[in-house]
Amino acid sequence: VPRRGQALPGDPAGAVLAESGIAISRRPVSRAEYARFVAETGREPSRCRVRGSLLRVLSPRDWRDPGFDQDEEAAVVCVSLADAQAYSEWYSEQTGHRYRLPTATDARTLAPEIIGRPLSLWLLDCGADCHERLVSGPSWRSDEGERRLDTGRGYDDVGFRLVREL
């Protein structure tokens, strides 16, 4: 039986045992993992620019092309909160275990391992209202430890990781 801070044997997300009956993945979901989800579900990509931006029309961005080079093991970015939640539901069906996005409390139990560009990560916690959600961690665009973002689009500096309920 693993102890707190140790990986759950055979967990496909690489979840690590935390407190309160959960395990949390050390790393964000990768582009390759998200690509498999999109291939199997046909999910349309979310936009990755502000609605009023002229660049959104002239040079659209999404998870496949966030505007910078990424390899397949890099954390997927430019996914909305709904995309991340849909992935967690799909992943739960694939594995037979219950996965979800972390809360701020969950996220504090184990710091993420982020390789490459620093990223913020989606959380379940609402901001001022639930049209905004919190993201945790500083990113390459923001030094803030926690910020509120519109849930209706993706961001090129925000990814997500999963929590497994035990």
Side-chain angles (χ1 to χ4, degrees):
V1 175
R3 292 188 308 235
R4 185 175 182 272
Q6 292 181 329
L8 289 179
D11 185 82
V16 172
L17 193 62
E19 297 172 0
S20 309
I22 65 164
I24 187 165
S25 61
R26 283 194 183 274
R27 61 176 178 73
V29 172
S30 72
R31 287 174 43 92
E33 292 163 332
Y34 194 79
R36 193 176 112 210
F37 158 70
V38 168
E40 291 187 21
T41 64
R43 187 165 184 93
E44 291 294 319
S46 292
R47 294 288 184 173
C48 195
R49 294 204 190 263
V50 178
R51 237 180 261 280
S53 170
L54 182 58
L55 286 174
R56 184 174 179 174
V57 176
L58 298 176
S59 182
R61 300 286 185 214
D62 62 33
W63 73 270
R64 296 171 297 210
D65 182 14
F68 48 86
D69 290 334
Q70 287 187 297
D71 64 28
E72 292 305 302
E73 295 309 309
V76 67
V77 295
C78 292
V79 293
S80 69
L81 178 75
D83 295 331
Q85 288 179 312
Y87 179 90
S88 70
E89 291 168 13
W90 171 83
Y91 196 71
S92 294
E93 291 172 9
Q94 299 300 304
T95 63
H97 300 289
R98 171 121 169 78
Y99 287 89
R100 61 173 171 78
L101 298 180
T103 64
T105 301
D106 297 336
R108 283 191 285 273
T109 64
L110 182 71
E113 289 178 3
I114 298 174
I115 298 168
R117 290 176 182 241
L119 291 179
S120 297
L121 300 169
W122 283 114
L123 298 174
L124 282 178
D125 303 86
C126 292
D129 60 33
C130 281
H131 295 291
E132 292 180 332
R133 292 289 173 109
L134 294 179
V135 295
S136 68
S139 75
W140 61 274
R141 285 195 182 271
S142 171
D143 290 333
E144 294 179 59
E146 203 170 81
R147 56 193 165 125
R148 296 180 185 121
L149 297 177
D150 176 2
T151 62
R153 69 179 186 93
Y155 298 83
D156 61 5
D157 66 334
V158 177
F160 68 98
R161 63 183 177 155
L162 300 176
V163 163
R164 177 175 162 188
E165 294 180 354
L166 303 175

